[in-house]
Amino acid sequence: MYNNEDIGGSEVQGVMEVAVTPENHDQRRTSDEEQGPLMKDTKGVTTGRRCNIYRDVMAAAIAGLGAISMGLVLGYSNPALLDKDLVQYVLENDEDKKSWFGSLIAIGAIFGGPIAAIFVGRLGRKVTLMMCTVPMGVGWFMIIYGSEYILVFCGRILTGVATGMVSLAVPLYIAEVSSRKRRGILGAGFQLLVTVGILCVYAIGMALNWNWLALVCLAVSTLNILLVLIIPETPRWFVVQDERVDALQSLAWLLDTDENIVEACDELERNFALQPAQGISFRDALQPGIYKPMLISFGLMFFQQLSGINVVIFYSSQIFLNAGYADKPAIPTITIGAVLVAATVVSCLLMDVAGRRVLLLTSGVFMTLSSTALGVYYYLAEEKDITTLNWLSLTSVLVFVIFFSIGWGPIPWLVTSEIIPVRARGIVNGLATMINWALVFLVTKEFQHLTVAIHNYGAFWFFAGFCLAGCVFVFIFLPETKGRSLEEIHEAF
């Protein structure tokens, strides 16, 4: 027998829950002694022999290499802009070009999300994971051999497109091959692997120049596409495409057994028949079951970026310099990268224990306080010399980054994959991804104008206000999804 709780608690995981129906009730009421290690959960779902834990974890980990590649893209500009050859000979010591070098990936990512939304529905989740490496690889090639800033800028845009595709495709694939009880930790693992990629590119950038660093990033992307060949397409997608034989093969791989996979596939097909998995009309979008989770997803992405996380990380270098690290420019980036990884590990461990709402509310409160304190520091800095308060700015940045990584970093991506119904998931996830990256670009490019208008302290208080508003939004609108099947989550709307 297979353990449906261990491999996909509902249609979103790709392996369905086996509901106890009148037709199969008597057959399934067998004692533990008669059926071996059978278990019955509290929701009336009969589960069978535990699958090999390494199969769903391995599939998620291989897909997660795309998240590491995404982190390499996001973190690349920081060490690259410390390379004098890049700044002097390619970017021509132009501050505006340096700004565009850092922010162009967001423009590419805006388009990458909708592209991936189309691909995951028409080509499949696995093929989309592989397609992500095409713009990624071409982009890194252009950066490696870029002797003019136009070529390098095009490379940054293409790696940005790949980043947008990864930010949609990888969480979706992980969600569809993960167990219900591991969905939280594996889902949060996406953000963890992004931060691992950021830390790696920071660390490797200390030893390599910008060309060789780009070559290492290209190598990771190449390894990613080779390993993706090992893992299967999700069974749910095969069932949606009416490809039963392939669905059976995928189930056999994920369950690590050939026993009862026909029954598993039958149940998956019945669940699909009850909930159409493709396409929504305008009338459908007006239904509470669609527009409520859609607006919640958009809201989470909005408050994630309006928290000012990218601005805080950008300012962290200057804050570390003020704290006495002027002769060690790599220390700030390495420290922030390490803090991101460590805090995200904590988030993964707490995700299925504390719950999504608690982590979001807790992180939002501490982000509000730390951003407010950072604003106070800059307000006092404009009045007098406050060298003795450098500890305040340093502590504020570290606290902000830690609690962002615990809550508002990973959870919006995870919750979006949980609360959106199957038939709306492609288009809504694509729109949510596009909104997220559009806000990344808007915040990073317009921050300087914001500081001119309301000063540095006013800007950080502005972001603190959005952190607080995000807490209110979560408290009022977001239902808890921890430990609940997708059907139960959808019924809440």
Side-chain angles (χ1 to χ4, degrees):
M1 296 289 290
Y2 67 99
N3 187 336
N4 63 282
E5 182 180 77
D6 282 353
I7 289 289
S10 66
E11 76 280 358
V12 71
Q13 283 84 29
V15 182
M16 68 301 150
E17 293 181 348
V18 181
V20 178
T21 63
E23 291 77 8
N24 63 19
H25 178 73
D26 293 334
Q27 177 183 350
R28 293 179 184 274
R29 289 191 59 186
T30 310
S31 67
D32 290 348
E33 292 78 10
E34 292 172 325
Q35 291 196 15
L38 270 179
M39 297 170 293
K40 198 174 286 185
D41 69 21
T42 60
K43 304 300 179 184
V45 177
T46 302
T47 59
R49 189 184 66 183
R50 290 186 180 276
C51 70
N52 188 337
I53 186 175
Y54 296 108
R55 287 301 179 93
D56 64 330
V57 174
M58 182 173 73
I62 290 175
L65 272 178
I68 293 179
S69 293
M70 175 178 168
L72 296 176
V73 174
L74 295 176
Y76 176 76
S77 62
N78 204 312
L81 289 175
L82 295 177
D83 192 316
K84 294 181 180 179
D85 289 338
L86 174 66
V87 173
Q88 181 175 351
Y89 299 113
V90 179
L91 302 181
E92 302 170 349
N93 284 316
D94 188 313
E95 291 298 323
D96 193 48
K97 289 186 175 66
K98 290 167 64 176
S99 174
W100 279 107
F101 181 83
S103 60
L104 279 174
I105 58 168
I107 293 180
I110 292 171
F111 299 98
I115 291 172
I118 296 172
F119 285 174
V120 293
R122 297 185 178 181
L123 303 179
R125 283 61 162 142
K126 176 179 176 178
V127 173
T128 303
L129 292 178
M130 300 175 69
M131 292 295 293
C132 292
T133 63
V134 175
M136 186 76 78
V138 174
W140 283 124
F141 264 116
M142 297 177 75
I143 292 172
I144 291 169
Y145 295 104
S147 58
E148 300 290 338
Y149 74 89
I150 292 296
L151 193 60
V152 172
F153 281 4
C154 289
R156 289 290 283 172
I157 291 174
L158 285 176
T159 54
V161 170
T163 296
M165 295 175 66
V166 165
S167 62
L168 184 146
V170 172
L172 179 59
Y173 182 89
I174 291 176
E176 292 193 352
V177 298
S178 301
S179 68
R180 186 195 329 187
K181 66 181 182 181
R182 287 191 294 272
R183 191 176 69 214
I185 188 171
L186 292 179
F190 167 74
Q191 184 70 17
L192 172 62
L193 293 175
V194 171
T195 61
V196 168
I198 292 174
L199 177 60
C200 287
V201 79
Y202 284 174
I204 298 172
M206 296 176 63
L208 301 178
N209 64 23
W210 65 281
N211 298 96
W212 285 101
L213 183 58
L215 183 61
V216 171
C217 296
L218 174 62
V220 173
S221 181
T222 303
L223 177 63
N224 184 24
I225 193 172
L226 294 176
L227 290 180
V228 168
L229 294 172
I230 300 174
I231 59 178
E233 179 58 81
T234 65
R236 192 203 66 82
W237 188 82
F238 280 132
V239 168
V240 170
Q241 303 301 315
D242 196 24
E243 298 177 8
R244 181 178 175 85
V245 174
D246 291 327
L248 291 170
Q249 292 176 347
S250 181
L251 283 166
W253 193 95
L254 287 170
L255 299 173
D256 196 26
T257 180
D258 290 331
E259 297 179 12
N260 297 314
I261 60 172
V262 173
E263 179 186 34
C265 191
D266 289 341
E267 291 290 344
L268 187 57
E269 289 173 338
R270 282 194 287 271
N271 284 344
F272 169 65
L274 293 174
Q275 285 200 353
Q278 286 185 322
I280 58 171
S281 65
F282 179 76
R283 179 175 296 179
D284 293 331
L286 297 179
Q287 298 174 359
I290 300 294
Y291 77 77
K292 285 185 178 180
M294 178 175 66
L295 293 179
I296 289 174
S297 298
F298 293 170
L300 291 175
M301 296 302 182
F302 176 83
F303 287 113
Q304 182 195 61
Q305 293 306 320
L306 267 294
S307 69
I309 177 61
N310 290 295
V311 171
V312 171
I313 291 178
F314 173 78
Y315 259 70
S316 64
S317 296
Q318 185 60 46
I319 289 170
F320 272 80
L321 293 179
N322 293 339
Y325 294 96
D327 58 335
K328 300 176 181 179
I331 294 297
T333 55
I334 295 295
T335 301
I336 292 297
V339 168
L340 283 169
V341 172
T344 309
V345 169
V346 174
S347 176
C348 290
L349 298 176
L350 293 177
M351 193 68 65
D352 288 321
V353 178
R356 284 58 154 164
R357 277 172 55 89
V358 171
L359 291 180
L360 283 173
L361 291 171
T362 302
S363 67
V365 168
F366 279 93
M367 287 162 60
T368 301
L369 295 175
S370 56
S371 189
T372 300
L374 199 54
V376 170
Y377 170 82
Y378 279 105
Y379 178 80
L380 296 175
E382 292 194 5
E383 301 295 327
K384 58 182 179 179
D385 180 20
I386 56 167
T387 305
T388 56
L389 287 180
N390 282 340
W391 65 268
L392 176 61
S393 62
L394 192 61
T395 302
S396 297
V397 167
L398 292 178
V399 169
F400 188 96
V401 171
I402 287 171
F403 280 94
F404 176 85
S405 300
I406 288 176
W408 279 94
I411 294 179
W413 298 103
L414 172 61
V415 169
T416 296
S417 71
E418 292 179 319
I419 65 176
I420 303 300
V422 175
R423 59 196 176 115
R425 188 168 298 128
I427 185 171
V428 173
N429 282 17
L431 290 173
T433 302
M434 183 172 64
I435 290 171
N436 187 283
W437 287 107
L439 289 170
V440 170
F441 176 76
L442 179 65
V443 171
T444 54
K445 285 300 293 180
E446 295 302 318
F447 178 70
Q448 294 301 326
H449 295 97
L450 185 64
T451 57
V452 170
I454 59 176
H455 304 279
N456 286 333
Y457 60 85
F460 284 108
W461 289 341
F462 172 82
F463 292 129
F466 278 102
C467 291
L468 182 60
C471 291
V472 175
F473 177 84
V474 168
F475 183 80
I476 295 175
F477 297 109
L478 181 65
E480 181 57 71
T481 62
K482 180 193 73 171
R484 303 171 69 185
S485 71
L486 271 292
E487 290 84 1
E488 293 171 328
I489 295 172
H490 299 159
E491 286 175 2
F493 300 104

